[in-house]
Amino acid sequence: MSQSKAVVQKYARATRLLHHIHTAAFIILFITGLVLFIPQLGFLAQDSWTRIVHRLAAVVFIVAPIVYLVMKPKAALRAVADACTWGTEDVGWLKAAPRYYFLCDEEGMPAQGHMNTGQKLWWFLVIVFGAVFIVTGLVMWFLKTVAPAGLLQWMVFAHDVAFIVTGAMVFVHVYLGVIHPMMTEAWQAISKGTVSEEYAKSHHGLWYHEQVKEENTAPPPEPKEVVEVH
Ligand code: HEM
């Protein structure tokens, strides 16, 4: 059977740009954080430079989503709303996920929206731990000399917990996005912005059919202005 070559737009350019900038900032924060976390790695970098680079990357990590929110408020709020909207398909995903991801068994996996349940969980993680990083990091940065020692210790502890949890989850995210045999076009979606129609139907069926419905109910396009040539 011949496969359809049609593609569907999944992520807009601005969304992809935010993803890549945030990822780059996270990687720099992770590496410089690792050097600060494991003193024995200090030989890899000069201590003060690690701290400066960590702070510079933190600024990018904080500012990039704010710029996105200001420039694309609708898209940003829609994504948050998507991540927070849970239905029966999410319960079905949770039940079917072990067989789907470990045995590549699609039976029992309900149709998903633009974000599948795993992606919604990833969003929660990013929002919750992103906030922990920012609050604790800013306290360590700006209130180091005035905050009580006990509070600072808690800030370092929470920053470290977020570092360990997100560090571990990033591997899962990369594995599912780039390597897993069922998620063949996830990387294409975030790098080029599109997925094939086949993939959209099989992996994000609810969203795909919603799109088709919208296209079918949209008013016909305005007739193009006809320029008469004499
Ligand atoms: C986003 C905002 C962030 C801010 C404002 C921030 C700020 C800071 C500051 C001020 C320090 C103390 C550095 C020093 O000793 O001078 C620190 C340490 C550290 N940061 Fe961040 N950071 C942020 C995000 C991250 C992220 C995303 C990661 C890792 C993925 C990370 C991992 C670490 C680690 C592991 C340490 C060492 C803590 C320790 O000494 O045990 N940080 N951060």
Side-chain angles (χ1 to χ4, degrees), residues 25-26 29-30 32-34 36-37 51 54-55 57-59 61-62 130 133-134 136-138 140-141 144 156 159-160 162-163 166-167:
F26 182 87
L29 284 162
F30 187 84
T32 49
L34 193 67
L36 293 166
F37 187 65
R51 293 192 150 89
H54 196 79
R55 283 159 173 76
V59 172
F61 189 88
I62 295 169
F133 274 129
I134 292 170
T136 56
L138 291 179
M140 287 194 279
W141 186 351
K144 201 172 179 172
V156 175
H159 208 76
D160 287 349
F163 164 67
T166 54

Side-chain angles (χ1 to χ4, degrees), residues 115-179:
M115 251 183 226
N116 69 28
T117 314
Q119 290 167 319
K120 290 179 187 176
L121 291 171
W122 175 245
W123 260 77
F124 272 118
L125 206 84
V126 170
I127 291 172
V128 170
F129 285 104
V132 172
F133 274 129
I134 292 170
V135 171
T136 56
L138 291 179
V139 171
M140 287 194 279
W141 186 351
F142 293 106
L143 303 179
K144 201 172 179 172
T145 50
V146 291
L151 177 73
L152 275 175
Q153 268 177 3
W154 275 108
M155 294 296 116
V156 175
F157 177 71
H159 208 76
D160 287 349
V161 170
F163 164 67
I164 292 163
V165 174
T166 54
M169 290 314 290
V170 156
F171 283 101
V172 178
H173 181 65
V174 172
Y175 174 68
L176 289 179
V178 185
I179 301 167

